[in-house]
Amino acid sequence: MRAIPILLRKEFRQIFRNRAMLPIIFVMPIIQLVVLAFAATFEVKSTPVTVVAQEWTPEARRLVQKLEASGLFYVVNHTASASMADEDMEAGRARMILDIPARFNLVSGQSDVQVILNAQDGAAAGVVQTYVRQIIGELNFDLGRRAAAVEIRTVHWYNPELNYQIYMVPGILVILVT
Amino acid sequence: MSKRGTTFTGFVRKEFFHIIRDRRTLLVLFGMPVIMMVLFGFVIRNEIRGVKVAVVDLSRDEVTAAIVDKLQASEYFDVVDDGTSDIEEAFRTGSIMEAIIFEHNFASRLIREESAGIQVVTDASNPNTASIVAGYTSAIIANYLQEQAANREPRTEKLITASFRMRYNPELKSVYLFVPGLIALILMLVCALMTSITITREREMGTMEVLLVSPLRPPQIIIGKVIPYLLLSFVNVLSILILARFVFKVPLRGSILLLLLECLLFIVCALSLGILISSRSKTMQTATMIALAGLLMPTVLLSGFIFPITSMPEPLQMASHLIPAKWFLIIVRGIMIRGVGFEFIWKETLVLVGMTALFIGASVRSFNIRLD
């Protein structure tokens, strides 16, 4: 029993004697915590988009403006050719292709746009899809259209601002302690 | 046959025997990749499927019943309880992820063109899934209502709509993202960890003297140590790719030859990094710690393996450029999932080649031909 504090001192001395290991033992967990806290997020920040449009109608312009204004999308390329857009996506320059048909307007022409998403990251693609739907819903509202008389109110419990850190930090703590 | 040639081949054969004799290490070398693949492929999933939803229906009419049916029919949702009164408790215990509340007189309000309300409550502990789940719910409800409206009266007003196509991964399977990353991680793990102790072990065992007095020059020693691990890692790559293709159904849309060549490049890169660590570490313990903490941790966190690099703050994005696995991941994901050819990945390949040259050069320089 009495040997335990002596053993403890010896162990401590041995640890501190090893110069190379010291930074690893003390500095590494701190670095990991910091890096993990900032790196570990699945938040989809800004999606690069290539717009394919044969014709620039005012509705088309509004749609693109609204997408960019949301801060969640930024246009990397405008083109009239779908194959150029495909190349952008293959090269990784764009993660989304917005294909606006000719005569895109709400009165007589086409009112359906095609959105092609790079779904390598399936979860991120789902999130981007939700964003696009929301923005289009807002655009419809701006243009004076209402889909139906139903009002859907969404409330997020436990994390109303959808803050990623709240989700990640408890998990990170567990991993680091292990 | 020149004396040098025989010495070198003899050295390589000796290294081979060393590896094969160590049964436990062999188990780790070949068994770990399989275990990791199974773990990540089957256990860790990011997909939205069968989300538990509770419905609180204060109306109980045909419209609400129809909407609930539509939700139940979708593969994304699983309506758990019809008529729970205490949703707070259900959320707290984690038995539901979403609750939908219909207000009173829903159908009659709709018919009278008054506004009818639906309250959607989500468990936003995981913000991303919460947004997606809420988004899907609204989309399904909106779709249903649009259909109903279209059936009742001729469409006078048009709406802007969007049709979505999920390219490369229509079912949004999470393995498409993880498996290429796993290839990088496993290769990095095995190669760097194994080689990081090989030179240090010689020092600790005292057999370094024998190596140093042999006619072998430092570059030959290093290359001789790399070759057996190269071959073993290549076998690993093949088994991982076969698992990925046939068990997890991850497609291989590009050229297999190109993929294997790039894997070879990455293996050499990882091995040379391991050798660099090994030639600079005094003890095996230090070497292993550096390999784990200084190589593996950053690779898992910053290479884009699980956490997308585009989601990270700027300084971390720049730091990720230093990690070889990050470039390799771009290459592998490009070839496997997008099916691109070399013209799209030559830049990343060049970076890997440069890094490899750097590591090998540094190893040769710091390999001391005197016993230190």
Side-chain angles (χ1 to χ4, degrees), chain B residues 4 7-9 11 211-221:
Chain B
R4 276 264 160 77
T7 320
F8 186 65
T9 38
F11 181 57
L211 264 183
L212 291 175
V213 298
S214 73
L216 290 169
R217 291 199 312 246
Q220 285 179 307
I221 296 183

Side-chain angles (χ1 to χ4, degrees), chain B residues 77-364:
Chain B
F77 296 104
D78 182 16
V79 181
V80 172
D81 207 84
D82 233 312
T84 343
S85 42
D86 193 357
I87 52 174
E88 273 194 54
E89 189 54 40
F91 270 123
R92 234 196 300 274
T93 56
S95 47
I96 57 171
M97 216 220 132
E98 187 189 32
I100 301 178
I101 307 169
F102 294 100
E103 63 175 4
H104 291 284
N105 304 320
F106 195 75
S108 40
R109 280 184 181 225
L110 270 187
I111 294 178
R112 280 178 291 161
E113 304 263 326
E114 283 170 21
S115 89
I118 299 180
Q119 177 86 354
V120 172
V121 183
T122 59
D123 178 354
S125 315
N126 182 339
N128 260 15
T129 40
S131 327
I132 300 179
V133 164
Y136 284 179
T137 311
S138 317
I140 292 180
I141 296 178
N143 269 351
Y144 169 76
L145 292 166
Q146 262 189 310
E147 281 172 23
Q148 293 304 308
N151 290 342
R152 271 182 303 159
E153 64 198 57
R155 265 253 144 264
T156 48
E157 287 187 340
K158 273 185 160 212
L159 280 177
I160 299 183
T161 52
S163 347
F164 291 91
R165 267 197 3 230
M166 300 299 188
R167 191 175 273 182
Y168 309 128
N169 181 4
E171 294 173 49
L172 301 185
K173 296 207 276 200
S174 58
V175 282
Y176 281 39
L177 189 68
F178 287 148
V179 168
L182 262 183
I183 297 176
L185 189 69
I186 291 173
L187 287 179
M188 183 59 93
L189 183 71
V190 169
C191 297
L193 217 51
M194 292 292 122
T195 52
S196 67
I197 57 175
T198 177
I199 290 183
T200 341
R201 185 169 44 203
E202 302 272 359
R203 258 192 224 121
E204 276 197 3
M205 302 268 249
T207 51
M208 191 52 114
E209 302 173 302
V210 182
L211 264 183
L212 291 175
V213 298
S214 73
L216 290 169
R217 291 199 312 246
Q220 285 179 307
I221 296 183
I222 291 178
I223 295 179
K225 284 192 171 290
V226 162
I227 289 179
Y229 287 113
L230 186 86
L231 293 170
L232 289 173
S233 303
F234 200 66
V235 171
N236 252 342
V237 167
L238 289 175
S239 59
I240 294 174
L241 284 176
I242 291 176
L243 265 178
R245 182 74 189 78
F246 295 110
V247 174
F248 296 109
K249 312 280 199 291
V250 178
L252 218 174
R253 300 193 172 118
S255 145
I256 300 185
L257 184 63
L258 184 60
L259 182 62
L260 289 177
L261 285 175
E262 297 280 356
C263 285
L264 212 58
L265 173 61
F266 186 65
I267 291 175
V268 174
C269 187
L271 289 174
S272 45
L273 193 49
I275 296 275
L276 179 60
I277 296 176
S278 193
S279 62
R280 295 219 167 184
S281 310
K282 294 285 193 292
T283 62
M284 271 174 31
Q285 205 187 21
T286 332
T288 319
M289 284 304 298
I290 296 182
L292 279 175
L295 194 59
L296 229 51
M297 248 320 126
T299 300
V300 169
L301 298 178
L302 296 177
S303 64
F305 164 47
I306 307 183
F307 307 117
I309 299 180
T310 44
S311 309
M312 299 181 200
E314 270 297 318
L316 285 179
Q317 287 200 25
M318 308 234 272
S320 78
H321 289 317
L322 296 172
I323 299 179
K326 170 227 162 86
W327 305 100
F328 182 60
L329 261 175
I330 298 179
I331 295 174
V332 173
R333 284 186 179 140
I335 301 179
M336 283 187 87
I337 317 279
R338 301 204 300 275
V340 302
F342 188 66
E343 65 273 16
F344 286 115
I345 50 173
W346 63 269
K347 240 182 358 181
E348 287 83 8
T349 311
L350 207 62
V351 172
L352 279 181
V353 170
M355 282 183 167
T356 312
L358 194 74
F359 297 145
I360 292 185
S363 310
V364 172

Side-chain angles (χ1 to χ4, degrees), chain B residues 49-66:
Chain B
R49 219 142 263 173
V51 171
K52 306 261 186 272
V53 185
V55 176
V56 181
D57 194 347
L58 299 170
S59 268
R60 297 203 165 263
D61 50 43
E62 334 85 59
V63 181
T64 59

Side-chain angles (χ1 to χ4, degrees), chain A residues 56-110:
Chain A
W56 264 131
T57 62
E59 281 86 352
R61 223 187 299 271
R62 279 192 81 159
L63 176 57
V64 175
Q65 268 170 5
K66 229 180 149 64
L67 284 172
E68 285 200 296
S70 71
L72 299 163
F73 299 92
Y74 65 101
V75 178
V76 291
N77 200 2
H78 282 294
T79 172
S81 133
S83 56
M84 282 240 61
D86 287 342
E87 213 182 279
D88 276 346
M89 187 175 270
E90 269 187 24
R93 289 189 288 264
R95 304 208 109 211
M96 172 171 139
I97 298 176
L98 181 65
D99 195 335
I100 306 181
R103 296 187 303 126
F104 177 63
N105 63 54
L106 279 174
V107 180
S108 57
Q110 279 270 50

